[in-house]
Amino acid sequence: MAHSALASTVARMLGLELQPVDIRRFSDGEVYVEIRETIRGEEVFIFQPTSRGADASVNDHLMELLLLVSACCRASAATVTAVLP
């Protein structure tokens, strides 16, 4: 997750827990996303900036967002909301 500090702060303020997500990059630049908890029927919020970061480009952040949304849909989340600070 590109902005885990913001997500942690918002979750703490709302009294919620962040769900563990495994995001890795292979040596060829491909991104791997795995949601490690059951989110079936849950409302999911993804905090993902699309601006250039110190360690990733705009494209990297956008692809990570799309893969996270896809993984949530495949995991049968009730709704997926992307928050793009």
Side-chain angles (χ1 to χ4, degrees):
M1 191 179 309
H3 211 306
S4 57
L6 176 61
S8 296
T9 301
V10 172
R12 188 173 44 254
M13 291 172 68
L14 295 175
L16 301 172
E17 290 183 30
L18 293 179
Q19 296 299 315
V21 176
D22 187 15
I23 301 173
R24 290 182 271 165
R25 297 198 187 288
F26 294 107
S27 60
D28 65 353
E30 187 176 341
V31 180
Y32 170 81
V33 173
E34 179 184 6
I35 300 168
R36 295 187 293 170
E37 295 287 330
T38 300
I39 59 170
R40 180 181 300 273
E42 299 289 335
E43 291 182 56
V44 175
F45 294 86
I46 301 171
F47 285 79
Q48 180 75 10
T50 56
S51 60
R52 180 174 166 75
D55 61 340
S57 68
V58 173
N59 184 59
D60 291 337
H61 286 165
L62 187 58
M63 286 306 299
E64 200 172 282
L65 172 64
L66 294 173
L67 289 170
L68 282 164
V69 170
S70 175
C72 289
C73 290
R74 285 183 278 119
S76 300
T79 62
V80 179
T81 303
V83 180
L84 307 172

